[in-house]
């Protein structure tokens, strides 16, 4: 009898863990370009990690700030040193839930807390989940106000750096093995 109970508990534990999907190759684009500006302010991070629990819809995403790459090295330096203070605040995170997630591809609301520059704010946006073989690719776009995350745009930078940033994400989740 003890063996049967132990096997049952072991099977339940394995089933629970098989619902987790992970990514270490997600991509987030940060675009704070002022419309009509001569220079684009776009950073791309292709090493975003995350965990999606298919059973509950819970999702956690983490991006290392220094992993954002820009066309101009000086822009990347300003992003890390002057705005994001990446030595002091090295990562940005999102912890939330896909609302009404039923384990199937589709369009859903996602809500949770986004932490940038050490400041957390609640966000709610739409995401799309697409099945690609054994992957589940999450994609979405939303806009944040830099001031909401205590990121100041100095007067000299207002011609090139917007007060809002468009965040575009693509996260290819795979079943955790």
């Amino acid at each position: 009898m003890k063996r049967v109970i132990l096997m049952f508990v072991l099977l339940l534990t394995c089933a629970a863990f098989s619902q987790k999907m992970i990514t270490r190759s997600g991509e987030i684009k940060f675009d704070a370009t002022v419309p009509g500006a001569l220079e684009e302010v776009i950073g791309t991070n292709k090493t975003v990690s995350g965990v999606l629990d298919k059973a509950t819809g819970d999702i956690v995403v983490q991006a290392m700030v220094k992993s954002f790459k820009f066309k101009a090295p000086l822009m990347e330096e300003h992003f890390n040193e002057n705005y994001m203070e990446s030595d002091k605040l090295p990562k940005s995170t999102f912890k939330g839930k896909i609302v009404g997630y039923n384990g199937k591809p589709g369009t859903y609301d996602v809500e949770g807390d986004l932490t940038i520059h050490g400041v957390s704010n609640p966000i709610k946006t739409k995401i799309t989940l697409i099945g690609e073989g054994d992957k589940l690719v999450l994609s979405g776009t939303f806009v944040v106000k830099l001031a909401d995350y205590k990121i100041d745009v100095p007067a000299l930078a207002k011609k090139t750096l917007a007060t809002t940033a468009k965040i575009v994400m693509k996260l290819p989740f795979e079943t955790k093995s």
Side-chain angles (χ1 to χ4, degrees), residues 20-28 47-53 58-64 92-95 136 138 170-176:
K20 304 263 188 201
M21 298 185 83
I22 64 169
T23 186
R24 289 191 181 96
S25 60
E27 179 177 294
I28 294 177
T47 60
V48 177
S49 59
V51 177
L52 169 62
D53 187 331
D58 291 337
I59 184 168
V60 177
V61 179
Q62 177 177 289
M64 300 306 291
S92 293
T93 60
F94 175 78
K95 293 180 184 177
L136 191 58
L138 181 151
K170 185 174 181 183
L171 307 169
F173 287 99
E174 297 180 276
T175 302
K176 186 177 178 181

Side-chain angles (χ1 to χ4, degrees), residues 131-151:
E132 290 183 3
D134 61 344
K135 292 182 183 177
L136 191 58
V137 180
L138 181 151
S139 59
T141 302
F142 59 96
V143 175
V144 296
K145 292 180 183 176
L146 300 183
D148 289 350
Y149 295 92
K150 295 186 180 175
I151 300 169

Side-chain angles (χ1 to χ4, degrees), residues 35-102:
L38 296 175
E39 205 168 10
E40 292 181 328
V41 181
I42 299 174
T44 303
N45 184 335
K46 295 183 179 184
T47 60
V48 177
S49 59
V51 177
L52 169 62
D53 187 331
K54 285 179 64 175
T56 64
D58 291 337
I59 184 168
V60 177
V61 179
Q62 177 177 289
M64 300 306 291
V65 176
K66 281 191 176 182
S67 295
F68 281 91
K69 302 300 175 201
F70 292 78
K71 286 182 184 176
L74 184 59
M75 193 177 293
E76 192 170 314
E77 183 180 323
H78 284 287
F79 175 80
N80 282 298
E81 292 177 10
N82 301 338
Y83 303 111
M84 297 298 287
E85 301 175 278
S86 58
D87 284 336
K88 186 168 75 171
L89 303 160
K91 61 186 171 186
S92 293
T93 60
F94 175 78
K95 293 180 184 177
K97 187 172 196 73
I98 301 172
V99 180
Y101 182 60
N102 59 11

Side-chain angles (χ1 to χ4, degrees), residues 83 153-161:
Y83 303 111
V153 178
L156 290 173
K158 288 191 187 225
K159 290 184 179 179
T160 55
L161 181 62

